[in-house]
């Protein structure tokens, strides 16, 4: 039968119910006593007891005087035995002719075990709670078209059990992070998403207009500058988990809106942030996976071992064969870049080119957890200088599986130095760099009030979820990823 005819049959069945005064959509509640897995886990106690479950019918086998179906709820599936003598002739006839796969039903009956040993419910009352009016994908092949899966995540969750498990695990990951940080004395806060100056990262912001004040605003690209204001205010340990927005491209590791966590701790430095990060990642893996060793694709990752630490200069020396300690100035850096076929822009300085070398030659080798330390000052406008190495700052990035997982600093708290670095960023913006920061006068005022020595860090939560759920793309761990509109 053509799909359009099948859809009309569904609407005709609904009309039959409505005409008989049985419109399922007027029902406002259903009292559920148990979920499917709870019945299975506690069967010895519930055997023969009346239970009430509700969920979506995912299978139906019609026979003569008795039929079977199963119901899927948030915990899984459970078989329902439907006998005419138990629910009555008219309800049984309705079950066979009107109810179908995709409908949401409530079932009241006694828990029992079938002759084949399957824990089931012997139905006494079946209540239709919502009539399905669209065809679900064929059950044996599920929903496989990735574009449709992302656009219709609600169907994806119904048809693909592993997808539901991914998002349950994502929730557990975020919960485990909160548990760890709360146990370390951190306070969770919320800061503005709409800002006049989108700073704290090198990224292009989305822009909008606020009619009430007739002002142009931006969506935040980072959480940093507001959280540091709270450190100035004396909160000492703060974190935020929230969406940020960057007007950039789409690929397997990037989505224009994504979940970022940033935390700031007074009276520590980037070494303190390394220790916290290593301990937190280990805690999350143990809580969510039950182990610190796990596979991402064919690679076994080990969060149980001490994370490696290497400077950016040493990494480039190791994997590119170039020692930037021996490169005197910007011109020499550009010369070696030309020799190694590393592309750069005219305004790039020695530190920028060092970073380009790292991206080109080193990132792919950072498979096991590795802290890459001591970045050039040119790419770190909010970071404290290293006192023993001119031109470099106390910063690290954690790499796992070749991905940047987080970015941390010993935070710059010198207002005069910070103003000069903002000026340099303003100059880059004036030269056409759309990702440059701009001077934030209120933030500078906060620094002049006084910020203690502080360690800070930002984590890409979605990438961590990809690792711990063995997901190949960021869209697989975002319930509703950004997609091009369908006309």
């Amino acid at each position: 039968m053509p799909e359009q005819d099948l859809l009309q049959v569904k609407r005709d069945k609904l009309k039959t119910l409505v005409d008989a005064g049985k419109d399922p959509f007027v029902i406002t509640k259903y009292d559920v006593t148990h979920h499917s897995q709870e019945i299975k886990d506690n069967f010895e106690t519930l055997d023969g007891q009346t239970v009430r479950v509700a969920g979506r019918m995912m299978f139906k086998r019609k026979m003569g005087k008795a039929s079977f179906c199963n119901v899927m709820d948030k915990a899984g599936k459970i078989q329902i035995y439907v006998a005419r003598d138990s629910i009555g002739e008219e309800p049984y006839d309705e079950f066979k002719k009107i109810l179908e796969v995709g409908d949401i039903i409530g079932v009241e009956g006694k828990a029992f075990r079938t002759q084949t040993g399957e824990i089931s419910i012997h139905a006494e009352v079946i209540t239709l709670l919502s009539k399905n009016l669209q065809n679900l994908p064929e059950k044996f092949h599920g929903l496989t078209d990735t574009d449709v899966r992302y656009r219709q995540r609600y169907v994806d969750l119904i048809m693909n059990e592993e997808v539901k498990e991914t998002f349950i695990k994502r929730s557990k990951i975020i919960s485990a992070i909160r548990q760890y940080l709360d146990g370390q004395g951190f306070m969770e806060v919320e800061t503005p998403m709409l800002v006049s100056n989108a700073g704290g990262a090198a990224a292009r912001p989305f822009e909008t207009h606020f009619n009430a004040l007739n002002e142009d605003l931006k969506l935040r690209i980072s959480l940093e500058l507001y959280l540091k204001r709270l450190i100035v205010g004396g909160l000492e340990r703060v974190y935020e988990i929230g969406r940020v927005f960057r007007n950039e491209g789409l690929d397997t590791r990037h989505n224009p809106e994504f979940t970022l966590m940033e935390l700031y701790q007074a009276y520590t430095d980037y070494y303190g942030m390394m220790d916290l990060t290593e301990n937190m990642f280990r805690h999350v893996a143990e809580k969510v996976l039950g182990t610190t060793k796990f596979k991402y694709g064919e690679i076994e990752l080990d969060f149980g071992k001490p994370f490696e630490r290497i400077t950016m200069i040493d990494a480039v020396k190791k994997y590119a064969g170039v020692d930037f300690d021996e490169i005197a100035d910007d011109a020499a850096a550009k010369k070696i870049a030309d020799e190694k076929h590393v592309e750069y822009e005219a305004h790039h300085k020695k530190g920028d080119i060092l970073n380009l070398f790292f991206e080109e030659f080193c990132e792919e080798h950072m498979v096991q957890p590795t802290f890459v330390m001591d970045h050039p000052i040119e790419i770190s406008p909010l970071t404290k200088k290293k006192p023993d190495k001119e031109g470099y700052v106390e910063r690290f990035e954690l790499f796992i599986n070749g991905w940047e997982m987080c970015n941390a600093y010993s935070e710059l708290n010198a207002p005069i130095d910070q103003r000069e670095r903002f000026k340099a960023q303003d100059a880059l913006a004036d030269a056409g760099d759309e990702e440059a920061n701009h001077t934030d006068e209120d933030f500078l005022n906060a620094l002049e009030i006084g910020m203690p020595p502080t360690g800070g860090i930002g984590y890409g939560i979605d990438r961590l979820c990809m690792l711990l759920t063995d997901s190949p793309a960021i869209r697989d761990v975002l319930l509703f990823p950004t997609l091009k509109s369908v006309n």
Side-chain angles (χ1 to χ4, degrees), residues 285-347:
E286 288 173 342
K287 282 288 183 181
V288 176
L289 304 180
T291 178
T292 56
K293 285 185 179 180
F294 58 95
K295 277 198 165 186
Y296 182 81
E298 297 303 313
I299 300 168
E300 183 174 82
L301 297 170
D302 188 352
F303 282 12
K305 292 181 180 178
F307 291 8
E308 184 181 350
R309 301 183 181 192
I310 187 171
T311 67
M312 183 177 281
I313 281 182
D314 285 344
V316 169
K317 186 176 179 180
K318 180 177 180 180
Y319 295 109
V322 178
D323 186 354
F324 269 74
D325 277 336
E326 302 297 324
I327 294 175
D329 52 27
D330 300 341
K334 290 179 178 179
K335 183 174 182 295
I336 193 68
D338 292 335
E339 292 173 5
K340 293 286 188 176
H341 308 291
V342 174
E343 295 184 5
Y344 57 87
E345 297 179 21
H347 64 84

Side-chain angles (χ1 to χ4, degrees), residues 342-359:
V342 174
E343 295 184 5
Y344 57 87
E345 297 179 21
H347 64 84
H348 280 158
K349 298 181 183 297
K350 173 184 169 181
D352 299 297
I353 293 171
L354 169 62
N355 186 55
L356 293 173
F357 266 76
F358 176 78
E359 292 174 352

Side-chain angles (χ1 to χ4, degrees), residues 240-260:
E240 180 174 6
I241 301 174
R243 285 295 175 103
V244 297
F245 309 87
R246 298 182 182 179
N247 198 350
E248 299 169 347
L250 291 163
D251 60 32
T252 56
R253 283 184 279 160
H254 294 88
N255 195 73
E257 57 173 312
F258 62 97
T259 302
L260 182 66

